[in-house]
Amino acid sequence: MGTLDLREEILRLKKERNAVILAHSYQRPEIQDLADFVGDSLALARKAQETDCDVIAFCGVHFMAETACILNPTKTVILPDADAACSLEASCPAGELESFLKEHADRNYYVVAYVNCSIGVKALADVIVTSGNAKTIIEKAPKDRPILFVPDQNLGAWTSRQTGREMTLWNGACHVHLEFTRQQILDLKAAHPGALVVCHPECTEPVRLLADHICSTEKMIPFCRESDAARFIIVTETGILHRLRKLVPDKEFIPASTPQCSCGECVYMKMNTLEKLRDALASLSPRIEIPEELRLRAHAPLQRMLDLSL
């Protein structure tokens, strides 16, 4: 089946299933172009709340589909590839976090969990944060309790520096953002004089120190649009370049390379394809199913984040 026929089949099934297609900014361009909404995981899950759809086809990784399920309990949530995992999520298994908290119960940690984690970790957290609101949420954290930040140590370190709050950091990281190195960014700056370096806070500190601007993936779009600069070196997963080039067409975007390759791609994000999306809509599987008790426990820190973001 050709790409055009495949797109038409997906749109037919979407209408038949009364589905909404959500795509994370790191997804393949052809999936982004077909989606009803493109963005970061939490914003997409909340977008789905505003629709009257029966089915959510979440083109992302597993924890993102779980988050959509948490916020949309009456809707069927499907993930085109059930094996679309996340190295950051995997770095903090819920069982290990639970054991750590029991072992250090005397500390009475206030657990701040980055949204890029499993539902089991969310259920153990006091509050959830995104890369876009972590600073705001940490500034409102109880002053009389030590903070444990999970799972991303790089986002945690950056937020600690931004807020002045000391935190215990879980030893977790995104494999894509770990691959960017200081030397690679220096080489790109030398090759592209005048280009601003825009980097995600999941990057390591040596890379962040070279950045002209550090922000969430979603906030890269308005920054680049409003900046007077004409060229930008984008230090995050390269899927965002498709959106940047569509939404800010008059500027140049240069992907940050790594010592391994020039791609900077997440293999898990790219596991979803149009063929798998079609099959998922046809069979309504793989389906995300969560026990209600666990969903409610995970919903509470998500709701706390939403309340604190106001």
Side-chain angles (χ1 to χ4, degrees):
M1 182 179 287
T3 301
L4 184 59
D5 291 338
L6 192 55
R7 286 173 54 92
E8 290 177 354
E9 178 69 1
I10 290 170
L11 293 174
R12 182 190 69 77
L13 285 165
K14 185 185 83 164
K15 183 176 181 181
E16 181 180 301
R17 296 297 195 185
N18 187 30
V20 63
I21 299 174
L22 309 180
H24 190 269
S25 296
Y26 295 164
Q27 289 293 290
R28 298 169 181 270
E30 61 269 25
I31 288 180
Q32 292 189 40
D33 290 343
L34 192 63
D36 296 290
F37 303 104
V38 182
D40 66 33
S41 60
L42 184 61
L44 291 173
R46 297 185 71 187
K47 274 288 185 184
Q49 288 181 298
E50 301 170 6
T51 74
D52 62 355
C53 70
D54 297 313
V55 175
I56 299 170
F58 207 120
C59 299
V61 294
H62 195 268
F63 81 80
M64 298 178 181
E66 282 185 339
T67 303
C69 204
I70 293 168
L71 293 178
N72 296 272
T74 64
K75 297 169 182 176
T76 298
V77 179
I78 55 177
L79 179 67
D81 193 316
D83 294 325
C86 170
S87 59
L88 182 53
E89 174 189 343
S91 69
C92 184
E96 289 187 17
L97 175 59
E98 186 173 23
S99 296
F100 179 89
L101 292 173
K102 287 179 179 178
E103 182 181 349
H104 301 279
D106 58 310
R107 295 297 308 278
N108 189 29
Y109 277 116
Y110 186 76
V111 182
V112 179
Y114 184 27
V115 70
N116 295 27
C117 64
S118 70
I119 189 171
V121 168
K122 287 182 176 71
L124 292 167
D126 289 287
V127 69
I128 308 299
V129 299
T130 69
S131 53
N133 68 19
K135 179 176 181 291
T136 298
I137 302 301
I138 292 295
E139 287 175 339
K140 296 180 181 180
K143 304 296 184 185
D144 59 345
R145 293 179 63 186
I147 294 173
L148 172 64
F149 192 98
V150 303
D152 191 277
Q153 61 183 315
N154 293 310
L155 175 62
W158 180 75
T159 307
S160 178
R161 185 183 292 271
Q162 294 290 302
T163 60
R165 287 294 301 268
E166 291 188 9
M167 294 187 266
T168 299
L169 305 177
W170 192 267
N171 185 26
C174 164
H175 79 283
V176 173
H177 291 95
L178 275 182
E179 290 178 357
F180 299 119
T181 68
R182 175 181 173 83
Q183 188 57 54
Q184 294 295 118
I185 305 306
L186 287 172
D187 291 346
L188 282 169
K189 284 169 65 72
H192 303 278
L196 296 187
V197 176
V198 183
C199 110
H200 197 283
E202 287 180 30
C203 293
T204 62
E205 184 172 25
V207 171
R208 294 197 306 267
L209 289 173
L210 293 175
D212 296 287
H213 188 65
I214 302 170
C215 65
S216 67
T217 304
E218 201 64 23
K219 291 182 179 179
M220 289 181 180
I221 296 169
F223 174 78
C224 293
R225 180 188 290 125
E226 295 162 14
S227 171
D228 292 333
R231 293 191 294 175
F232 303 86
I233 297 167
I234 304 299
V235 195
T236 190
E237 211 278 350
T238 52
I240 188 61
L241 284 129
H242 181 67
R243 286 187 74 199
L244 284 166
R245 289 165 179 159
K246 284 181 64 175
L247 298 175
V248 194
D250 57 329
K251 298 187 179 182
E252 181 184 358
F253 299 98
I254 302 148
S257 56
T258 73
Q260 287 72 37
C261 67
S262 61
C263 56
E265 287 189 351
C266 172
V267 294
Y268 301 111
M269 282 287 184
K270 301 304 190 278
M271 290 176 74
N272 296 307
T273 63
L274 289 179
E275 290 83 359
K276 291 175 184 177
L277 175 57
R278 175 203 57 198
D279 294 346
L281 285 168
S283 64
L284 291 185
S285 66
R287 186 180 304 197
I288 306 297
E289 295 181 302
I290 298 171
E292 181 63 6
E293 185 271 338
L294 179 60
R295 188 194 71 81
L296 290 172
R297 285 170 52 209
H299 184 272
L302 265 173
Q303 187 59 52
R304 188 168 295 117
M305 178 196 72
L306 298 176
D307 294 342
L308 290 172
S309 297
L310 297 176

